[in-house]
């Protein structure tokens, strides 16, 4: 059984159909990349999978580890092991990063029937993850994402991923706007988490990220449909020739 | 109107009775003060919506109720009969407080109070007791700052001066641990009015933390309270006003602050109860280099009406004032923030700032926010801003996508908003007390936002 199985997914936003029948299978241990031009529906797909409720699913089915993902609330999907690294992480003034991270982790632990962790046990674990992402201690006491630089916000997303240890991580343009050093740090964070029982869906506009996070499969999303799928070499080909050339050639996942 | 006139008559009856029986009736200056207060109130009556200072607050629930003055005289307080117990009062005690004065229906109740751990240089007593023992200390300040011309409730307060808290902190004395003044309106089988009147004098270079807290044990009651707070030169004072009256109770309070040279005063107001509440804070920065922080949080639901009227007067050069008020309103609650700043002609180099932020949790909740700047000096800095918004759906989704359930996510965002005010309070027992109250209260706020709610609308009031 695949970890994620998307079957004929149709999604509307405000009456406009954005996804027009997406099919995708992703197995544990794999890294897949979804590439596509602006407006192709990449972010919509990521948000729908994370259960953003402002999108209307009009047709299709999504199974996450065999369970009906589309019936889950966002918090339930997260507790089941799905994680979305946001393209635009949200600032939450007045909530410290440390408190937020511990609340999130304890929510997930509670759902799984594990004991909640107190600050004393949690902090050492958190510091270890922060070291991996080259994050300063002072991040902990700052409000979530407030006045963070673009790179800091993206690193904070990866830190949350490292703390929550999801089974499926969706990275929505985590590379956009990052300088090369920040990109390497983020990619290292992701690569350190690759494992046989975890999968990644890397949504990106640019091929550059895939030099650092090498995918098993690349899918090209154009106008709400996956028009081509292939190995890592497909990303390079797109970089050379652009999305126009993939045209409407039919391709299945 | 007939009922409004009738209710004025009940105040006249109360005043006539008070004049015959009141503590300190033999003191000419006090008699005179009360008479001037009542004369002024009789002249104006209660304010109406036509008064600029009251245009967002309909006082009909107060003016059309024939309140009767509760006077226990020297007899056993009625709270014993009303089923009010020590347990009710003790639930509100602050751990770590220096002392506690408890007033039931405006009268000091010694056996609920605790005056054992007073720091040196600090005198704490009931106004009634101090009037009997050492009236000169009261006479020196009482009624000298509160403006009975401008506000009929202040006139009424002055007419009915009889008891309340008297706090005196000597020059250089340190009273950092909170002095807790707890005012309880007991329930009666008639609408009851009380007028606690407090006087707080903090002398030169002294420090003090004062907590005024208002609670009630049910029933229709009006607590019309006024406090004159004198902060001497270089004094540092933190004042907390915690209003958490019962759902049927009315609370009108005025904090009049008189600041000396380089005095530093923080006023923290937390309004979480009451049917109709008016919170007046009126600091006058009368000495050079004074600093004033006016910080507040009001949280209302159902049909609560919470009105905050700030009047900050800069009367001397080089003074700074900062106002921050946050409101959270749900149900049909109505909030008001009126932020008036007057910079007098000689108050050059004034630095005044005002911010009012509001969260509306329902389509039927309402906020009126009004800045009013009157500047008569030419070298000043005054800024103001107001925002009105909802809980941000983006923030809610972000938290939920990390596994935090919707109700907890909402509470977390509400607490974060409320904590902006808590964070401006100095660490210590008073802040801890406030934090606990807010946390308990916010946990019960069920304000839900429909999924179709528009994204936070943020506006700047000009």
């Amino acid at each position: 059984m695949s970890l994620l199985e998307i079957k004929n997914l149709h999604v509307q936003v405000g009456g406009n159909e954005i996804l027009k029948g997406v099919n995708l299978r992703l197995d544990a241990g794999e890294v897949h990349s979804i590439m596509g031009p602006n407006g192709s529906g990449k972010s919509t797909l990521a948000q729908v999978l994370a259960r953003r409720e402002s999108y209307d699913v009009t047709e299709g089915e999504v199974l996450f580890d065999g369970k009906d993902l589309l019936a889950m609330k966002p918090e339930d999907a997260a507790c089941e092991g799905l994680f979305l690294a946001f393209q635009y992480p949200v600032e939450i003034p007045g909530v410290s990063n440390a408190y937020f991270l511990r609340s999130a982790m304890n929510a997930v632990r509670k759902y799984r029937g594990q004991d909640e962790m107190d600050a004393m046990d949690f902090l050492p674990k958190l510091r270890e993850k922060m070291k991996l992402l080259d994050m300063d201690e002072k991040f902990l006491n700052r409000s979530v994402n407030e006045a963070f630089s673009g790179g800091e916000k993206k690193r904070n997303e990866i830190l949350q991923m490292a703390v929550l240890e999801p089974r499926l991580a969706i990275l929505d343009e985590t590379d956009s706007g990052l300088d090369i050093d920040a990109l390497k740090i983020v990619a290292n964070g992701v690569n350190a988490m690759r494992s046989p029982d975890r999968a990644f869906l890397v949504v990106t506009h640019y091929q550059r990220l895939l030099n650092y996070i090498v995918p098993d499969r690349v899918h090209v999303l154009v106008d709400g449909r996956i028009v081509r799928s292939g190995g890592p070499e497909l990303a390079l080909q797109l970089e050379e020739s652009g999305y126009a050339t993939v045209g409407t050639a039919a391709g299945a996942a | 109107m007939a009922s409004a006139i009738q209710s004025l008559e009940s105040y006249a009856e109360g005043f006539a009775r008070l004049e015959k029986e009141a503590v300190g009736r033999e003191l000419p200056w006090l008699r005179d003060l009360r008479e001037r207060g009542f004369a002024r109130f009789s002249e104006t009556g209660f304010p109406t919506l036509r008064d600029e200072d009251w245009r967002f607050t309909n006082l009909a629930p107060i003016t059309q109720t024939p309140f009767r003055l509760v006077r226990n005289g020297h007899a056993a307080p009625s709270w014993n009969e009303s089923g009010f117990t020590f347990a009710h009062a003790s639930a509100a005690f602050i751990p770590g407080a220096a002392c506690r004065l408890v007033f039931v229906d405006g009268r000091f109740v010694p056996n609920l109070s605790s005056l054992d751990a007073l720091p040196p240089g600090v005198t704490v007593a009931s106004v009634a007791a101090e009037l009997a023992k050492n009236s000169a200390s009261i006479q020196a300040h009482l009624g000298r700052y509160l403006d009975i011309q401008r506000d009929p409730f202040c006139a009424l307060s002055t007419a009915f001066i009889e008891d309340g808290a008297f706090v005196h902190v000597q020059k250089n004395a340190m009273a950092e641990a909170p002095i807790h003044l707890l005012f309880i309106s007991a329930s009666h089988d008639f609408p009851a009015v009380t007028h606690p009147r407090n006087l707080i004098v903090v002398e030169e270079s002294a420090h003090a933390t004062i907590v005024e807290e208002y609670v009630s044990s049910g029933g229709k009651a009006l607590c019309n309270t006024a406090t004159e707070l004198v902060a001497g030169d270089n004094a540092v004072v933190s004042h907390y006003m915690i209003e958490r009256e019962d759902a049927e109770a009315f609370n009108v309070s005025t904090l009049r602050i008189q600041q000396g040279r380089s005095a530093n005063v923080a006023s923290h107001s937390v309004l979480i109860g009451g049917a109709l509440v008016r919170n007046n804070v009126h600091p006058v920065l009368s000495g050079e280099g004074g600093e004033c922080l006016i910080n507040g949080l009001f949280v209302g639901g159902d049909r609560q009406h919470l009105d905050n009227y700030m009047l900050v007067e800069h009367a001397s050069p080089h003074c700074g004032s900062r106002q921050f008020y946050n409101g959270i309103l749900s149900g049909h609650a109505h909030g008001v923030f009126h932020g008036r700043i007057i910079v007098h002609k000689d108050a050059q180099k004034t630095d005044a700032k005002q911010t009012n932020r509001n969260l509306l949790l329902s389509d039927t909740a309402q906020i009126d926010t009004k800045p009013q700047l009157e500047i008569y000096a030419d070298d000043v800095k005054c800024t103001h801003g107001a925002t009105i918004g909802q809980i941000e759906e983006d923030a809610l989704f972000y938290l939920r996508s990390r596994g935090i359930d919707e109700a907890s996510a909402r509470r977390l965002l509400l607490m974060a908003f409320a904590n902006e005010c808590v964070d401006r309070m100095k660490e210590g027992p008073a802040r801890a007390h406030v934090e606990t109250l807010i946390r308990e209260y916010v946990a019960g706020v069920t304000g839900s936002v429909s999924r179709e709610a528009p994204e936070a609308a943020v506006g700047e009031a000009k």
Side-chain angles (χ1 to χ4, degrees):
Chain A
M1 186 174 56
S2 297
L3 183 61
L4 180 72
E5 195 170 354
I6 303 172
K7 295 180 199 164
N8 190 32
L9 184 65
H10 289 253
V11 174
Q12 290 190 356
V13 180
N16 294 325
E17 187 162 57
I18 307 292
L19 298 182
K20 303 170 180 173
V22 172
N23 292 287
L24 188 81
R25 288 171 75 102
L26 179 58
D27 290 329
E30 289 184 333
V31 175
H32 287 206
S33 173
I34 292 188
M35 299 187 68
N38 283 333
S40 59
K42 301 188 301 288
S43 278
T44 298
L45 179 61
Q47 298 261 319
V48 167
L49 294 177
R51 303 304 307 120
R52 180 114 205 189
E53 286 153 332
S54 46
Y55 296 86
D56 289 333
V57 176
T58 51
E59 216 183 315
E61 189 183 24
V62 180
L63 296 177
F64 179 44
D65 202 18
K67 292 177 190 161
D68 180 5
L69 179 66
L70 299 178
M72 294 181 198
K73 294 181 195 166
E75 54 268 39
D76 295 338
C79 291
E80 286 286 340
L82 187 142
F83 180 89
L84 170 66
F86 281 55
Q87 182 181 5
Y88 302 112
V90 181
E91 298 188 6
I92 307 183
V95 178
S96 82
N97 220 16
Y99 183 82
F100 166 60
L101 286 164
R102 194 160 62 87
S103 300
M105 194 196 58
N106 279 334
V108 172
R109 287 177 71 93
K110 203 171 144 193
Y111 184 90
R112 293 175 186 162
Q114 296 167 312
D115 286 339
E116 295 190 15
M117 260 178 139
D118 62 23
M120 293 293 279
D121 293 330
F122 178 61
L123 273 176
K125 185 180 152 92
L126 182 58
R127 289 207 174 95
E128 191 186 307
K129 313 261 185 200
M130 287 176 73
K131 209 176 284 172
L132 185 72
L133 292 163
D134 196 24
M135 286 173 83
D136 194 276
E137 281 270 322
K138 63 177 184 279
F139 269 92
L140 293 177
N141 295 321
R142 285 167 63 182
S143 289
V144 178
N145 294 326
E146 194 183 35
F148 281 30
S149 70
E152 286 171 338
K153 283 182 182 172
K154 296 298 172 79
R155 269 186 281 167
N156 204 26
E157 294 294 290
I158 303 303
L159 176 66
Q160 291 168 42
M161 179 176 81
V163 166
L164 295 177
E165 299 179 336
R167 287 189 296 161
L168 170 64
I170 302 162
L171 310 184
D172 188 4
E173 300 214 21
T174 299
D175 54 323
S176 296
L178 291 190
D179 64 38
I180 193 68
D181 293 329
L183 183 68
K184 281 180 183 166
I185 290 168
V186 164
N188 284 342
V190 171
N191 288 330
M193 286 189 68
R194 287 178 80 153
S195 87
D197 44 358
R198 180 172 292 135
F200 290 86
L201 191 59
V202 181
V203 176
T204 180
H205 192 84
Y206 307 102
Q207 179 273 336
R208 187 183 65 161
L209 175 67
L210 306 181
N211 293 337
Y212 299 93
I213 303 173
V214 180
D216 300 299
R217 298 281 292 168
V218 174
H219 310 280
V220 182
L221 188 70
V222 176
D223 192 26
R225 288 185 190 89
I226 289 176
V227 295
R228 244 179 106 177
S229 298
E233 71 288 347
L234 179 57
L236 291 168
Q237 196 184 321
L238 284 171
E239 181 78 357
E240 304 248 310
S241 52
Y243 289 110
T245 59
V246 281
T248 52
Chain B
M1 284 315 277
S3 55
I5 288 163
Q6 205 176 36
S7 85
L8 286 187
E9 277 170 9
S10 74
Y11 290 96
E13 274 167 37
F15 186 68
R17 228 176 88 210
L18 186 90
E19 276 195 306
K20 286 193 215 99
E21 304 167 0
V23 174
R25 61 187 179 278
E26 70 287 356
L27 300 166
W29 66 268
L30 183 56
R31 213 167 45 228
D32 182 52
L33 189 62
R34 284 176 180 143
E35 275 165 12
R36 272 190 286 133
F38 198 73
R40 179 61 188 164
F41 175 70
S42 305
E43 210 177 302
T44 60
F46 285 108
T48 68
L49 291 168
R50 286 188 297 277
D51 290 285
E52 186 58 30
D53 290 351
W54 294 87
R55 56 182 282 213
F56 302 116
T57 297
N58 184 349
L59 286 170
I62 289 179
T63 59
Q64 294 183 4
T65 304
F67 285 105
R68 268 165 57 193
L69 184 66
V70 184
R71 282 202 70 250
N72 305 313
H74 302 285
S78 60
W79 57 272
N80 272 334
E81 293 136 40
S82 67
F84 191 79
T85 63
F86 184 79
H88 284 104
S90 62
F93 293 173
I94 302 177
C99 66
R100 176 180 70 240
L101 273 75
V102 179
F103 297 80
V104 176
D105 287 335
R107 292 300 302 236
F108 180 56
V109 180
N111 60 342
L112 289 177
S113 303
S114 157
L115 302 172
D116 304 335
L118 280 179
V122 179
T123 306
V124 171
S126 75
V127 164
E130 192 69 10
L131 279 171
K133 211 174 75 186
N134 182 20
S135 67
S137 60
I138 303 264
Q139 190 187 356
H141 296 286
L142 190 71
R144 302 212 170 203
Y145 313 103
L146 201 68
D147 187 349
I148 63 169
Q149 296 303 316
R150 204 178 54 81
D151 187 340
F153 283 95
C154 291
L156 202 54
S157 162
T158 299
F160 287 94
I161 290 174
E162 190 169 24
D163 207 353
F166 172 66
V167 177
H168 187 271
V169 185
Q170 256 177 35
K171 186 175 171 180
N172 296 328
M174 293 287 157
E176 291 286 6
I179 294 168
H180 188 200
L181 314 175
L182 179 61
F183 299 87
I184 301 162
S185 294
S187 62
H188 297 273
D189 49 12
F190 57 89
V193 59
T194 55
H195 305 274
R197 177 67 175 251
N198 308 308
L199 175 62
I200 300 163
V201 180
V202 183
E203 288 187 347
E204 186 182 324
S205 299
H207 287 210
T209 301
I210 316 281
V211 181
E212 278 183 46
E213 185 162 3
Y214 294 83
V215 302
S216 40
S217 61
K220 212 165 206 184
L222 165 62
C223 179
N224 173 39
T225 176
T227 299
E228 289 171 288
L229 192 169
V230 186
D233 293 352
N234 205 35
V236 178
V237 185
S238 289
H239 180 277
Y240 294 76
M241 161 71 190
I242 302 171
E243 181 281 312
R244 47 191 195 93
E245 301 260 23
D246 210 67
E248 273 191 282
F250 308 119
N251 185 291
V252 178
S253 68
T254 298
L255 173 64
R256 170 69 174 85
I257 305 166
Q258 183 74 10
Q259 286 190 232
R261 188 183 183 282
S262 301
N264 189 331
V265 177
S267 150
H268 306 289
S269 300
V270 176
L271 316 183
I272 53 178
L276 194 164
V277 177
R278 166 82 163 201
N279 168 41
N280 299 290
V281 181
H282 181 186
V284 177
L285 295 132
S286 63
E288 265 193 53
E291 288 284 337
C292 191
L293 167 67
I294 300 117
N295 178 36
L297 173 70
F298 53 102
V299 190
D302 298 327
R303 296 195 172 271
Q304 278 182 284
H305 184 100
L306 306 174
D307 178 353
N308 300 280
Y309 186 97
M310 305 295 117
L311 170 55
V312 179
E313 275 190 69
H314 283 264
S316 273
H318 295 284
C319 291
S321 66
R322 290 173 296 140
Q323 297 177 57
F324 300 99
Y325 261 69
N326 278 20
I328 301 175
L329 300 164
S330 59
H332 287 78
H334 185 177
V336 180
F337 176 81
H338 190 133
R340 189 170 169 197
I341 301 172
I342 303 176
V343 181
H344 291 283
K345 197 167 130 271
D346 297 328
Q348 300 295 3
K349 303 287 180 191
T350 285
D351 187 352
K353 185 182 157 106
Q354 178 189 100
T355 306
N356 169 225
R357 308 213 314 127
N358 302 286
L359 269 187
L360 300 186
L361 303 183
S362 70
D363 293 341
T364 44
Q366 188 186 337
I367 177 78
D368 287 294
T369 177
K370 183 188 172 199
Q372 187 182 349
L373 309 185
E374 294 159 45
I375 301 167
Y376 304 103
D378 53 19
D379 184 11
V380 303
K381 202 163 90 184
C382 285
T383 61
H384 66 88
T387 62
I388 300 166
Q390 284 88 36
I391 284 191
E392 285 190 44
E393 286 295 316
D394 280 347
L396 202 55
F397 176 61
Y398 190 68
L399 292 172
R400 293 177 72 189
S401 79
R402 299 308 183 239
I404 298 168
D405 68 79
E406 186 177 358
S408 303
R410 274 185 199 287
R411 276 198 297 275
L412 192 60
L413 293 171
L414 288 181
M415 270 315 288
F417 187 73
N419 275 339
E420 290 178 11
C421 295
V422 175
D423 287 345
R424 294 187 196 102
M425 300 168 184
K426 216 156 126 189
E427 297 272 1
R431 171 173 161 162
H433 180 61
V434 167
E435 242 173 336
T436 307
L437 291 176
I438 292 176
R439 202 179 312 115
E440 283 169 3
Y441 185 84
V442 168
V445 172
T446 52
S448 64
V449 186
S450 66
R451 212 162 277 156
E452 291 74 31
E455 292 298 308
V458 175
E460 185 88 358
K462 288 283 167 196

